[in-house]
Amino acid sequence: MEDLLDLYGEPYDPKRPVVCFDERPYQLLEDVREPLPAEPEQPLRYDYEYKRNGSVNIFAFFQPLAGWRHMEVTQQRTKVDFALQMKNLVDIYHPQATVIRLVVDNLNTHNPASLYEVFSPEEARRIVQKLEFHYTPKHASWLNQVEIEISVLSRQCLERRIKDVQTLCSEIATWERQRNAVYTCGQGITLFLPSGNFAPPTASESPFGTRCANANSSV
C-alpha cells in the first residue's frame, strides 16, 4: 500500500508518468420494443424485455496528474489483448517517456510474461524495459485510481442498454473527449493525496486525444 501512496504523492514528471490500468466487462443489450419517450411528469420508459447481443471488454487507462484517460473496447481480455495495450501505451500514448510507472491489480495477465508470450523476445524486452509495474495489494484493487474513472464511465455512459460495439465505441469516445477536455478548460484535476511539489502539465505535455478501436482489432 505504501508503495502506491508514495507513487501517487510524487510530482508530475512527463518523462516518468504514472498510468493506472484495468478493465471491465460490458454486456450489449438491445431493446425488443421501442422505449416510450419522456413526457411532462413522465420519464423515459423501457420495456422489461431485452435481447442479449453478447459481451465485450473495456480496457481503461488513467493518468491522474495529467487528467488523461483512454478507454478501448475489445472482444476479450486475453494475454494477447493485454500485451497489445502495453505496446500501445509505450509506442502511441507515451512515446517520449523514459519509463512508465504502471499501476495494475494482480490479474494473471497483468505481468511482463504476457508480452513474452505474444511478441518476439526482443520486442517484448523493448516494451518491458519502458514499464515499471506497481501492483495493488490483494483485496485492495480499489487503490488503483483507474477504478474511479471506470465507475464514472459506468454511471455517466454505460448504465443503459447499448446494442452493438459501434454504438458503444462512439458513446465511450464522446465521453472520453469531454472528460479529457475538463483539464484543457482550466478546471484541473483534484487529487486526495496532495503533494506540495505538484506542477500541472502544460498542454504540450498532456497526452490528450481519443482513440476508440473496433472491438475486433485486437484479437
Side-chain angles (χ1 to χ4, degrees), residues 98-122:
T98 56
V99 63
I100 300 168
R101 277 86 63 80
L102 182 70
V103 178
V104 291
D105 61 23
N106 292 275
L107 189 67
N108 63 340
T109 58
H110 292 173
N111 58 70
S114 295
L115 281 81
Y116 283 93
E117 293 187 28
V118 176
F119 302 118
S120 68
E122 296 77 15

Side-chain angles (χ1 to χ4, degrees), residues 14-17 89-100 130:
K15 293 294 186 181
R16 304 176 70 243
L89 177 63
V90 168
D91 293 343
I92 298 176
Y93 310 140
H94 292 284
Q96 304 304 320
T98 56
V99 63
I100 300 168
K130 297 286 291 288

Side-chain angles (χ1 to χ4, degrees), residues 26-210:
Y26 184 75
Q27 187 171 61
L28 300 169
L29 300 175
E30 182 177 356
D31 288 310
V32 175
R33 298 176 180 83
E34 284 294 319
L36 297 177
E39 300 175 351
E41 300 185 4
Q42 283 284 359
L44 181 69
R45 286 158 289 175
Y46 290 88
D47 192 88
Y48 70 92
E49 288 189 68
Y50 55 83
K51 177 184 176 184
R52 299 178 188 269
N53 289 338
S55 61
V56 294
N57 173 71
I58 302 173
F59 284 116
F61 295 94
F62 180 47
Q63 189 181 352
L65 292 183
W68 171 81
R69 72 277 298 144
H70 172 64
M71 311 288 168
E72 188 157 333
V73 179
T74 63
Q75 290 286 0
Q76 306 172 83
R77 59 166 182 82
T78 64
K79 292 180 180 180
V80 173
D81 298 292
F82 174 76
L84 290 173
Q85 294 301 314
M86 294 301 101
K87 179 176 171 62
N88 289 344
L89 177 63
V90 168
D91 293 343
I92 298 176
Y93 310 140
H94 292 284
Q96 304 304 320
T98 56
V99 63
I100 300 168
R101 277 86 63 80
L102 182 70
V103 178
V104 291
D105 61 23
N106 292 275
L107 189 67
N108 63 340
T109 58
H110 292 173
N111 58 70
S114 295
L115 281 81
Y116 283 93
E117 293 187 28
V118 176
F119 302 118
S120 68
E122 296 77 15
E123 177 68 354
R125 179 62 175 166
R126 180 188 69 83
I127 298 169
V128 168
Q129 283 183 317
K130 297 286 291 288
L131 299 174
E132 181 182 288
F133 284 79
H134 293 261
Y135 291 96
T136 59
K138 290 185 178 180
H139 310 297
S141 61
W142 51 269
L143 283 170
N144 191 338
Q145 291 195 50
V146 75
E147 298 283 356
I148 300 170
E149 291 302 308
I150 292 175
S151 176
V152 174
L153 171 67
S154 298
R155 287 183 282 111
Q156 294 183 347
C157 186
L158 303 181
E159 288 187 351
R160 55 199 172 94
R161 295 173 186 171
I162 298 178
K163 65 180 181 179
D164 55 47
V165 170
Q166 291 72 27
T167 303
L168 178 65
C169 284
S170 176
E171 294 293 320
I172 290 177
T174 299
W175 175 89
E176 180 182 313
R177 283 194 299 270
Q178 293 175 347
R179 193 156 173 83
N180 281 340
V182 169
Y183 188 90
T184 60
C185 291
Q187 298 179 30
I189 301 298
T190 301
L191 296 179
F192 295 96
L193 295 170
S195 170
N197 297 322
F198 170 66
T202 65
S204 62
E205 293 171 336
S206 300
F208 294 113
T210 276

Side-chain angles (χ1 to χ4, degrees), residues 1-10 143 193:
M1 180 182 292
E2 288 82 0
D3 171 59
L4 291 183
L5 296 180
D6 291 342
L7 187 66
Y8 290 151
E10 289 186 14
L143 283 170
L193 295 170

